[in-house]
Amino acid sequence: AAAEVSVRDLTVLYRTDQGELPAVSNAGIDLPSGTITGLVGESGSGKSTLALSLMNAIPTPGRISSGSIQVNGVGDVTKLEGRALRRVRGRALGYVFQASQNSLNPLKTVGKQLMDLGRAHDVQDMRGLVRRAKELADEMGMDGARVLDSYQHELSGGMRQRVGIVLALVLNARVLILDEPTTALDMLSQAAVLDIVRKVHRQEGLTTLVVTHDMGVVSEIADRLAVMYGGRIVEDGPAMDVLQRPAHPYTRALIGATARITGDTETARALPGRPPDLTTVPRVGCVFRERCPLAMDVCAETEPQLLTWAPDRRRACHAEPTTTAATGEGA
Ligand code: ATP
Ligand code: MG
């Protein structure tokens, strides 16, 4: 499928007490039209930063320092500002923020917040907006009228997450970005939210990005998978293929650490070591080398590029592309 969103050479800098440092480095990713892409990696790997970049919404003094983000029918989002940018947020790109369970205004009903949203986007037909919100709510298995009359505290975590999706899509965004949609939910609500994301994705014909640290979520919902570490995309490809034949040692370690995929808590091993932050990520060579079971001399000197090694499969690694089973001994 043609790409709905194409990210090229994206670098995002944040200000730290050691100067400006990259949270995302030269990242490239395509979101093909009509697909669900999972973006995974441990805490601090740069997932939210990449996702926020798609809306050109990096909080200052952070900034996109290079790269382009082409959105179908919109152009390069990194070039937009002011009114044009606000228009794109909501009307082209719908975003459900990390911890969005708590991002509703506790003092206003959902309906009131919907009105605020409509006004901010100069919507003339407010009745049409309400109708659309109810329709989306119905599609997601909620009583639309009741939801609009509710305050945040009257809604469960799973309901709040669904309301976040309604508000993200109510202006008819074609691209849906969900940052950790299931993280704060219990297992049953997690499964329900994933079902709903799948359903609304299909019914609305969306292109969807799901950011998560949970490989289980990816295995249940994603068509494609991109794995991030230290601000780099280290592997990507069709989700099932990557999960069955991971080709980057970090992907193998992540899968090995996930009980839900190995189906066996006994074999689920925690990933040794800790992920780097902006100040500790290696600036030369491979970002993963300090935790990598396959590290070689070259890994300390030369950064591996994200290269195609099999059809529709890319990885950034100097080691031979063996694809040993993720659940086997030794990641
Ligand atoms: P998590 O799973 O915890 O949500 P993440 O993969 O979404 O992690 P990001 O939130 O993108 O990671 O953060 C990437 C890196 O940038 C981290 O080291 C984080 O501490 C740092 N960072 C994030 N936001 C800022 C900011 N506004 N200013 C400075 N550093 C930041
Ligand atoms: Mg995040």
PDB file of all heavy atoms in Angstrom, residues 232-251:
ATOM      1  N   ARG A 232      16.925   5.148  17.970  1.00  0.00           N
ATOM      2  CA  ARG A 232      17.029   4.599  16.612  1.00  0.00           C
ATOM      3  C   ARG A 232      15.945   3.569  16.372  1.00  0.00           C
ATOM      4  O   ARG A 232      15.566   2.838  17.295  1.00  0.00           O
ATOM      5  CB  ARG A 232      18.363   3.868  16.407  1.00  0.00           C
ATOM      6  CG  ARG A 232      19.514   4.723  15.978  1.00  0.00           C
ATOM      7  CD  ARG A 232      20.065   5.417  17.146  1.00  0.00           C
ATOM      8  NE  ARG A 232      21.329   6.110  16.834  1.00  0.00           N
ATOM      9  CZ  ARG A 232      21.908   6.959  17.676  1.00  0.00           C
ATOM     10  NH1 ARG A 232      21.354   7.224  18.845  1.00  0.00           N
ATOM     11  NH2 ARG A 232      23.037   7.541  17.352  1.00  0.00           N
ATOM     12  N   ILE A 233      15.521   3.473  15.116  1.00  0.00           N
ATOM     13  CA  ILE A 233      14.732   2.312  14.720  1.00  0.00           C
ATOM     14  C   ILE A 233      15.745   1.235  14.368  1.00  0.00           C
ATOM     15  O   ILE A 233      16.596   1.430  13.497  1.00  0.00           O
ATOM     16  CB  ILE A 233      13.805   2.645  13.554  1.00  0.00           C
ATOM     17  CG1 ILE A 233      12.799   3.674  14.063  1.00  0.00           C
ATOM     18  CG2 ILE A 233      13.125   1.377  13.027  1.00  0.00           C
ATOM     19  CD1 ILE A 233      11.658   3.972  13.196  1.00  0.00           C
ATOM     20  N   VAL A 234      15.720   0.120  15.097  1.00  0.00           N
ATOM     21  CA  VAL A 234      16.730  -0.917  14.898  1.00  0.00           C
ATOM     22  C   VAL A 234      16.222  -2.079  14.051  1.00  0.00           C
ATOM     23  O   VAL A 234      17.020  -2.858  13.533  1.00  0.00           O
ATOM     24  CB  VAL A 234      17.303  -1.434  16.238  1.00  0.00           C
ATOM     25  CG1 VAL A 234      18.012  -0.309  16.993  1.00  0.00           C
ATOM     26  CG2 VAL A 234      16.226  -2.075  17.097  1.00  0.00           C
ATOM     27  N   GLU A 235      14.907  -2.209  13.943  1.00  0.00           N
ATOM     28  CA  GLU A 235      14.360  -3.276  13.104  1.00  0.00           C
ATOM     29  C   GLU A 235      12.931  -2.925  12.723  1.00  0.00           C
ATOM     30  O   GLU A 235      12.203  -2.322  13.511  1.00  0.00           O
ATOM     31  CB  GLU A 235      14.378  -4.619  13.856  1.00  0.00           C
ATOM     32  CG  GLU A 235      13.661  -5.740  13.094  1.00  0.00           C
ATOM     33  CD  GLU A 235      14.109  -7.153  13.492  1.00  0.00           C
ATOM     34  OE1 GLU A 235      14.672  -7.329  14.583  1.00  0.00           O
ATOM     35  OE2 GLU A 235      13.885  -8.069  12.681  1.00  0.00           O
ATOM     36  N   ASP A 236      12.519  -3.303  11.499  1.00  0.00           N
ATOM     37  CA  ASP A 236      11.097  -3.218  11.170  1.00  0.00           C
ATOM     38  C   ASP A 236      10.719  -4.226  10.098  1.00  0.00           C
ATOM     39  O   ASP A 236      11.586  -4.862   9.486  1.00  0.00           O
ATOM     40  CB  ASP A 236      10.655  -1.790  10.809  1.00  0.00           C
ATOM     41  CG  ASP A 236      11.208  -1.281   9.497  1.00  0.00           C
ATOM     42  OD1 ASP A 236      11.934  -2.031   8.805  1.00  0.00           O
ATOM     43  OD2 ASP A 236      10.907  -0.128   9.138  1.00  0.00           O
ATOM     44  N   GLY A 237       9.412  -4.408   9.924  1.00  0.00           N
ATOM     45  CA  GLY A 237       8.902  -5.360   8.945  1.00  0.00           C
ATOM     46  C   GLY A 237       7.482  -5.762   9.299  1.00  0.00           C
ATOM     47  O   GLY A 237       6.884  -5.206  10.224  1.00  0.00           O
ATOM     48  N   PRO A 238       6.928  -6.754   8.572  1.00  0.00           N
ATOM     49  CA  PRO A 238       5.586  -7.254   8.911  1.00  0.00           C
ATOM     50  C   PRO A 238       5.602  -7.836  10.326  1.00  0.00           C
ATOM     51  O   PRO A 238       6.527  -8.575  10.688  1.00  0.00           O
ATOM     52  CB  PRO A 238       5.343  -8.355   7.872  1.00  0.00           C
ATOM     53  CG  PRO A 238       6.312  -8.070   6.761  1.00  0.00           C
ATOM     54  CD  PRO A 238       7.501  -7.432   7.400  1.00  0.00           C
ATOM     55  N   ALA A 239       4.583  -7.503  11.133  1.00  0.00           N
ATOM     56  CA  ALA A 239       4.633  -7.820  12.564  1.00  0.00           C
ATOM     57  C   ALA A 239       4.851  -9.310  12.842  1.00  0.00           C
ATOM     58  O   ALA A 239       5.749  -9.685  13.610  1.00  0.00           O
ATOM     59  CB  ALA A 239       3.364  -7.321  13.252  1.00  0.00           C
ATOM     60  N   MET A 240       4.058 -10.163  12.215  1.00  0.00           N
ATOM     61  CA  MET A 240       4.170 -11.595  12.516  1.00  0.00           C
ATOM     62  C   MET A 240       5.536 -12.131  12.127  1.00  0.00           C
ATOM     63  O   MET A 240       6.132 -12.942  12.839  1.00  0.00           O
ATOM     64  CB  MET A 240       3.074 -12.375  11.767  1.00  0.00           C
ATOM     65  CG  MET A 240       1.763 -12.386  12.512  1.00  0.00           C
ATOM     66  SD  MET A 240       2.045 -12.819  14.257  1.00  0.00           S
ATOM     67  CE  MET A 240       0.862 -11.758  15.052  1.00  0.00           C
ATOM     68  N   ASP A 241       6.036 -11.644  10.994  1.00  0.00           N
ATOM     69  CA  ASP A 241       7.339 -12.075  10.514  1.00  0.00           C
ATOM     70  C   ASP A 241       8.451 -11.666  11.494  1.00  0.00           C
ATOM     71  O   ASP A 241       9.319 -12.470  11.850  1.00  0.00           O
ATOM     72  CB  ASP A 241       7.559 -11.444   9.126  1.00  0.00           C
ATOM     73  CG  ASP A 241       8.675 -12.127   8.361  1.00  0.00           C
ATOM     74  OD1 ASP A 241       8.952 -13.301   8.643  1.00  0.00           O
ATOM     75  OD2 ASP A 241       9.265 -11.462   7.493  1.00  0.00           O
ATOM     76  N   VAL A 242       8.377 -10.424  11.956  1.00  0.00           N
ATOM     77  CA  VAL A 242       9.395  -9.953  12.902  1.00  0.00           C
ATOM     78  C   VAL A 242       9.297 -10.724  14.214  1.00  0.00           C
ATOM     79  O   VAL A 242      10.307 -11.122  14.803  1.00  0.00           O
ATOM     80  CB  VAL A 242       9.258  -8.435  13.155  1.00  0.00           C
ATOM     81  CG1 VAL A 242      10.239  -7.982  14.240  1.00  0.00           C
ATOM     82  CG2 VAL A 242       9.486  -7.644  11.865  1.00  0.00           C
ATOM     83  N   LEU A 243       8.068 -10.972  14.673  1.00  0.00           N
ATOM     84  CA  LEU A 243       7.899 -11.682  15.941  1.00  0.00           C
ATOM     85  C   LEU A 243       8.369 -13.132  15.828  1.00  0.00           C
ATOM     86  O   LEU A 243       8.933 -13.683  16.772  1.00  0.00           O
ATOM     87  CB  LEU A 243       6.430 -11.637  16.387  1.00  0.00           C
ATOM     88  CG  LEU A 243       5.929 -10.258  16.820  1.00  0.00           C
ATOM     89  CD1 LEU A 243       4.415 -10.273  17.045  1.00  0.00           C
ATOM     90  CD2 LEU A 243       6.637  -9.791  18.088  1.00  0.00           C
ATOM     91  N   GLN A 244       8.146 -13.742  14.665  1.00  0.00           N
ATOM     92  CA  GLN A 244       8.548 -15.136  14.500  1.00  0.00           C
ATOM     93  C   GLN A 244      10.028 -15.291  14.161  1.00  0.00           C
ATOM     94  O   GLN A 244      10.659 -16.262  14.538  1.00  0.00           O
ATOM     95  CB  GLN A 244       7.687 -15.797  13.414  1.00  0.00           C
ATOM     96  CG  GLN A 244       6.333 -16.221  13.940  1.00  0.00           C
ATOM     97  CD  GLN A 244       5.328 -16.467  12.820  1.00  0.00           C
ATOM     98  OE1 GLN A 244       5.700 -16.543  11.653  1.00  0.00           O
ATOM     99  NE2 GLN A 244       4.060 -16.578  13.170  1.00  0.00           N
ATOM    100  N   ARG A 245      10.548 -14.306  13.428  1.00  0.00           N
ATOM    101  CA  ARG A 245      11.957 -14.373  13.021  1.00  0.00           C
ATOM    102  C   ARG A 245      12.648 -13.052  13.300  1.00  0.00           C
ATOM    103  O   ARG A 245      13.059 -12.350  12.379  1.00  0.00           O
ATOM    104  CB  ARG A 245      12.055 -14.677  11.517  1.00  0.00           C
ATOM    105  CG  ARG A 245      11.407 -15.992  11.102  1.00  0.00           C
ATOM    106  CD  ARG A 245      11.760 -16.301   9.644  1.00  0.00           C
ATOM    107  NE  ARG A 245      11.315 -15.269   8.712  1.00  0.00           N
ATOM    108  CZ  ARG A 245      12.013 -14.853   7.647  1.00  0.00           C
ATOM    109  NH1 ARG A 245      13.202 -15.357   7.385  1.00  0.00           N
ATOM    110  NH2 ARG A 245      11.516 -13.941   6.841  1.00  0.00           N
ATOM    111  N   PRO A 246      12.769 -12.697  14.572  1.00  0.00           N
ATOM    112  CA  PRO A 246      13.421 -11.417  14.881  1.00  0.00           C
ATOM    113  C   PRO A 246      14.874 -11.451  14.409  1.00  0.00           C
ATOM    114  O   PRO A 246      15.544 -12.461  14.585  1.00  0.00           O
ATOM    115  CB  PRO A 246      13.325 -11.317  16.400  1.00  0.00           C
ATOM    116  CG  PRO A 246      13.183 -12.731  16.863  1.00  0.00           C
ATOM    117  CD  PRO A 246      12.416 -13.449  15.792  1.00  0.00           C
ATOM    118  N   ALA A 247      15.342 -10.351  13.829  1.00  0.00           N
ATOM    119  CA  ALA A 247      16.674 -10.360  13.231  1.00  0.00           C
ATOM    120  C   ALA A 247      17.628  -9.389  13.916  1.00  0.00           C
ATOM    121  O   ALA A 247      18.784  -9.308  13.541  1.00  0.00           O
ATOM    122  CB  ALA A 247      16.569 -10.019  11.741  1.00  0.00           C
ATOM    123  N   HIS A 248      17.136  -8.655  14.900  1.00  0.00           N
ATOM    124  CA  HIS A 248      18.028  -7.789  15.672  1.00  0.00           C
ATOM    125  C   HIS A 248      18.099  -8.342  17.094  1.00  0.00           C
ATOM    126  O   HIS A 248      17.071  -8.734  17.655  1.00  0.00           O
ATOM    127  CB  HIS A 248      17.489  -6.354  15.686  1.00  0.00           C
ATOM    128  CG  HIS A 248      18.488  -5.366  16.215  1.00  0.00           C
ATOM    129  ND1 HIS A 248      18.804  -5.279  17.557  1.00  0.00           N
ATOM    130  CD2 HIS A 248      19.273  -4.456  15.578  1.00  0.00           C
ATOM    131  CE1 HIS A 248      19.725  -4.337  17.724  1.00  0.00           C
ATOM    132  NE2 HIS A 248      20.028  -3.831  16.539  1.00  0.00           N
ATOM    133  N   PRO A 249      19.289  -8.395  17.688  1.00  0.00           N
ATOM    134  CA  PRO A 249      19.400  -8.971  19.044  1.00  0.00           C
ATOM    135  C   PRO A 249      18.525  -8.249  20.066  1.00  0.00           C
ATOM    136  O   PRO A 249      18.051  -8.888  21.025  1.00  0.00           O
ATOM    137  CB  PRO A 249      20.889  -8.827  19.386  1.00  0.00           C
ATOM    138  CG  PRO A 249      21.498  -8.008  18.299  1.00  0.00           C
ATOM    139  CD  PRO A 249      20.603  -8.038  17.129  1.00  0.00           C
ATOM    140  N   TYR A 250      18.278  -6.957  19.852  1.00  0.00           N
ATOM    141  CA  TYR A 250      17.388  -6.253  20.791  1.00  0.00           C
ATOM    142  C   TYR A 250      15.948  -6.753  20.661  1.00  0.00           C
ATOM    143  O   TYR A 250      15.266  -6.975  21.661  1.00  0.00           O
ATOM    144  CB  TYR A 250      17.446  -4.740  20.564  1.00  0.00           C
ATOM    145  CG  TYR A 250      16.548  -3.991  21.516  1.00  0.00           C
ATOM    146  CD1 TYR A 250      16.720  -4.105  22.893  1.00  0.00           C
ATOM    147  CD2 TYR A 250      15.510  -3.188  21.049  1.00  0.00           C
ATOM    148  CE1 TYR A 250      15.893  -3.435  23.786  1.00  0.00           C
ATOM    149  CE2 TYR A 250      14.677  -2.513  21.928  1.00  0.00           C
ATOM    150  CZ  TYR A 250      14.872  -2.635  23.289  1.00  0.00           C
ATOM    151  OH  TYR A 250      14.052  -1.978  24.159  1.00  0.00           O
ATOM    152  N   THR A 251      15.493  -6.951  19.438  1.00  0.00           N
ATOM    153  CA  THR A 251      14.137  -7.478  19.239  1.00  0.00           C
ATOM    154  C   THR A 251      14.025  -8.855  19.879  1.00  0.00           C
ATOM    155  O   THR A 251      13.045  -9.166  20.563  1.00  0.00           O
ATOM    156  CB  THR A 251      13.812  -7.586  17.737  1.00  0.00           C
ATOM    157  OG1 THR A 251      14.193  -6.387  17.078  1.00  0.00           O
ATOM    158  CG2 THR A 251      12.333  -7.847  17.519  1.00  0.00           C
TER     159      THR A 251
END
